[in-house]
Amino acid sequence: MKVDHISISAYLDDFSMITIVVNKPFPIIPSLSLVDDKKVLQPLTIDKQEYYDDLVIYKCRSRIPIDLKNRYWVTFNESRIPLMIGSIVRTAKFDSLYYDDTSLGAIYTPERTTFKVWSPVAFAMKVKYKPRQSDTFLEQKMSRTENGVWQVTLEGDHHLTEYLFVVNVNHEWVETTDPYAKSVTANGIHSVVIHLPETDPEGWNRSEKKINLRSKTDSIIYELHVRDLTIHSDSGVVNKGKYLGLTERGTKTSNGFHTGLDYLKRLGITHVQLLPVADFGSVDETTPDSAYNWGYDPVQFFSPEGSYSTDPYDPICRIKELKTLIHTLQQNGLSVILDVVYNHVYKREESPFEKLVPGYYFRFDEGGKPVNGTGVGNDTASERKMMRKFILDALTYWMSEYKVDGFRFDLMGIHDVETMNLAAEKLKSLNPGVFLLGEGWDLNTNLEPENKATLSSAKKLPSYSFFNDAFRDHVKGSIFPDGQSGFINGNQDARIKSHMKQVMRGYAGQHDTFLKAEQSINYSECHDNHTLFDLLSIRHPFEDEFTRRKRQQLALAFTLFAQGVPFIHAGQECFRTKNGAENSYNLPDSINAFDWKRCESFYKEVDYFKQLIRIRKTQPLFHESSTVLSEWKVPEGGLGFELNLPTTDIKEDASFWTNALLLFNQTTKQIFIPIEEKRWTIAIEGEKVCHRALNEEQYRLKPLSFSLLYSV
């Protein structure tokens, strides 16, 4: 607001502190007062004057604590400036006074629905709603509790009633969707009341409680995007790019090669990790083929994305079809991990969070500007009680309603350790075997380093596994083409070789990153950055493709046989390419689609991948914590490790290996390795499965190859 050529605004920064922001100093310090709706005046005292950028800041104090149920204005020189919500919402007192642990959202029964939304800073609130058979929106005033929860109960059956909240905050009325909405209309225009049993597909058991018994190191995660896996023209799938596309059985290419669900279940993987399926903002759900996105731009955290449904206009359809996908994968022996994004929102200013409680759900710097550690313009503040509650409520909802088996946390390092441990405790009470993993990158957010859920805090977060960038970088080199190369590139730097034992041990131990190897997500490729095939093409431009593929197969062997949890990006097994694109998050299907023709052409390599998985899964020494790993002496350019599993009563079986020898050659020349004859049997050699006894005193390790030997 401008007064006498001075631009002025006023913010409530504490329960008695008001900040006046002007574009130039007052020539004469005015008499400042605070006035409420009842026109009661309170004088304000200027405590200090500060400068920030080109602005002048006056810190003023009120003698009487401010009541957030009222509206206020700051008066000076017969002018009146509306008092806006400032950093008061980020004070410990605010968090303590207004925390509310009751259920929020639209709480449905066939007889009535209660709408509840948290906004302690709202002056008034209404619910605007349109029943199923009506074309007209109605409004109903809501009442406020002491904790700042606004609520109202509407009598009657409101299943499929569309609604919005109309809130008076910062002296204006704004409309917002419900942050707890279980479903929405197309493109999230309106929230929708849902009777959830109506969304259950055939065969769904609402009372079933999922209990996962598989250990983390018995798991093999396969990351995929819902649209990517079936959108290819020769996928043989009817519902291409949809939730239901991944539920179709018997799909094949025109040449008869298995695709989709049948392909996944034949690989031998144990977990499918889905890129975000919660509602996101960058794709128009009514024309889903007009744009593409990975989905890391969340809008509605409790509702599935509509562009993957066959009818985005039907609020039930998106829920039922996602449940069908999850149920189908599980019925085919595959556990389901959801990639969840709680570290930021698509557009902060337009989010229900910011409309309902401005400035609370996000982190800001000392000058009141949003922190941007995520790189997308905003960081959520998981350490605040109601944001923490929101995250825990969302996670428990997805687990209990959709019966998923785990969660992958995008940019988990933005979140705080306490929230993540509370989430683990809650989720494990529902399913002790829930699989939790995340990105532990240390990002520049407004949180003390020791409180960040980063890789350096891994030992404080024993329930979580972390994407292991040290594993990735020492195996394949930096994700940046100009960065340092890795072992598979032929880098014989002593520092690389010295780290390879940690790579094989999963960086676990008293003086290492993790408490146990199960905390290490071992990967050389994921949806981010170049595919490994493309990166090798850039890094080795003068090599033929055959040679580069040999390097990639070396990375695959490290990923599958190092201690920890193997993680595979969909298509890695058939040298997936995105035509050199480094960041394909919004590029078209021509770049992102899983190429079934290419996969079919590399059927031998896919079979090899299956055989490696079978060996890892059937031989306990590759995933038991009691396995002892030691280095095996090999000539320069090679790497060798012996695994030994002490015999126990459980494992006294002729088919179980007590020892395994893993040999890697990073050079383009063969290596001869001294070895004890008649002790070892060759299981893998030259990317082929064989069971041939070794009868020589020297073993010839082929160029750019991996060999696996064993003894029982």
Side-chain angles (χ1 to χ4, degrees), residues 438-605:
E439 293 181 301
W441 319 137
D442 189 0
L443 303 169
N444 187 24
T445 192
N446 199 359
L447 193 65
E448 292 300 318
E450 64 271 17
N451 295 332
K452 294 179 182 179
T454 58
L455 274 160
S456 61
S457 296
K459 291 183 178 179
K460 301 177 187 175
L461 294 155
S463 298
Y464 289 86
S465 300
F466 292 77
F467 285 87
N468 191 340
D469 58 342
F471 176 99
R472 177 197 69 197
D473 292 350
H474 286 99
V475 170
K476 77 165 186 178
S478 168
I479 57 175
F480 304 109
D482 294 334
Q484 179 174 277
S485 59
F487 180 86
I488 67 168
N489 306 109
N491 188 338
Q492 296 186 21
D493 189 297
R495 289 174 297 176
I496 295 290
K497 191 167 184 179
S498 67
H499 268 271
M500 297 313 290
K501 189 171 184 180
Q502 288 173 283
V503 163
M504 293 303 296
R505 281 183 171 162
Y507 287 81
Q510 183 178 357
H511 303 294
D512 221 318
T513 307
F514 303 120
L515 291 168
K516 296 176 287 187
E518 68 174 31
Q519 285 190 282
S520 179
I521 298 294
N522 299 332
Y523 76 112
S524 57
E525 179 177 325
C526 67
H527 68 273
D528 278 322
N529 308 111
H530 292 102
T531 67
L532 183 50
F533 180 86
D534 288 343
L535 182 62
L536 288 170
S537 299
I538 296 169
R539 195 163 271 161
H540 300 272
F542 302 111
E543 285 187 344
D544 57 57
E545 184 178 316
F546 175 80
T547 302
R548 293 197 298 265
R549 292 202 305 265
K550 299 281 284 183
R551 295 188 187 279
Q552 182 158 344
Q553 296 295 58
L554 274 178
L556 181 65
F558 279 111
T559 302
L560 287 174
F561 291 113
Q563 294 175 332
V565 182
F567 179 97
I568 304 295
H569 178 223
Q572 183 177 340
E573 69 278 13
C574 55
F575 312 106
R576 184 173 183 174
T577 176
K578 295 184 179 180
N579 298 329
E582 181 181 11
N583 186 9
S584 68
Y585 78 99
N586 64 350
L587 297 181
D589 294 328
S590 58
I591 299 296
N592 282 297
F594 189 104
D595 188 342
W596 288 106
K597 284 292 188 184
R598 182 179 181 86
C599 188
E600 182 180 25
S601 71
F602 288 113
Y603 72 93
K604 290 182 180 178
E605 287 78 6

